[in-house]
Amino acid sequence: MAGVPGTGGLLDPDGAMERLAEWKGRINQLAADTKAMSDQLQELRVTAADDNGLVEVTVDSSGQLVDLWLGQRIHRVAPDVVARTVMNTIRAARQQLADRSQAIIADTMGTESPAARAIAERVGQQLRDADPAADGPDDQQRRW
């Protein structure tokens, strides 16, 4: 019966303390998992290369380009091909970053948590929907 000592009701001090301790343990574990997830995501970088050896790019945890390598073969192709290859390779790196980020979220927070699923979905959406061309100069300057 609720409220009667020794029966596990709301007014049972021992039962209430036990439930509070369990709740605190779950909150502490969630905080630890969230910190581990955040640390891993912050350190994440992905490097991708095109299949023809023209371009290699590295993006950081937010999907921003942090390194660009151009192979010697770029001298044998048209500049617009190089530009398109760079942009496509950045998109590919961001796709890989989204996949890895979602795997980190699943590994650290699980897949059962609505919060973890929401975070994973949002991260994936932000990275996959990002347009690398929008991160740079306006259209006129891109043509130079």
Side-chain angles (χ1 to χ4, degrees):
M1 177 184 243
V4 177
T7 63
L10 291 175
L11 297 179
D12 176 14
D14 292 333
M17 291 301 286
E18 186 176 308
R19 285 189 300 280
L20 187 57
E22 289 172 7
W23 178 78
K24 185 179 182 305
R26 286 192 306 270
I27 294 298
N28 288 343
Q29 185 62 51
L30 179 60
D33 292 346
T34 302
K35 171 102 171 76
M37 175 194 68
S38 177
D39 291 347
Q40 289 180 45
L41 290 175
Q42 287 296 329
E43 295 172 8
L44 189 58
R45 285 185 174 216
V46 170
T47 299
D50 74 296
D51 293 336
N52 296 314
L54 295 176
V55 173
E56 182 177 282
V57 300
T58 300
V59 295
D60 66 11
S61 61
S62 66
Q64 296 299 307
L65 181 67
V66 294
D67 194 19
L68 170 65
W69 174 85
L70 301 173
Q72 288 297 317
R73 296 187 67 208
I74 66 164
H75 299 290
R76 293 183 233 143
V77 297
D80 64 316
V81 171
V82 174
R84 227 178 8 260
T85 302
V86 168
M87 300 309 284
N88 290 338
T89 308
I90 292 171
R91 282 186 199 92
R94 286 180 173 170
Q95 290 284 337
Q96 291 175 30
L97 180 66
D99 293 343
R100 287 192 189 166
S101 296
Q102 289 177 319
I104 288 170
I105 294 165
D107 289 347
T108 56
M109 303 214 31
T111 56
E112 299 301 314
S113 159
R117 285 193 305 268
I119 292 168
E121 183 178 327
R122 182 175 176 140
V123 166
Q125 221 171 23
Q126 286 177 335
L127 292 171
R128 286 187 178 95
D129 293 345
D131 179 8
D135 297 339
D138 65 26
D139 287 344
Q140 180 63 34
Q141 288 176 325
R142 271 197 301 257
R143 285 189 225 131
W144 294 352

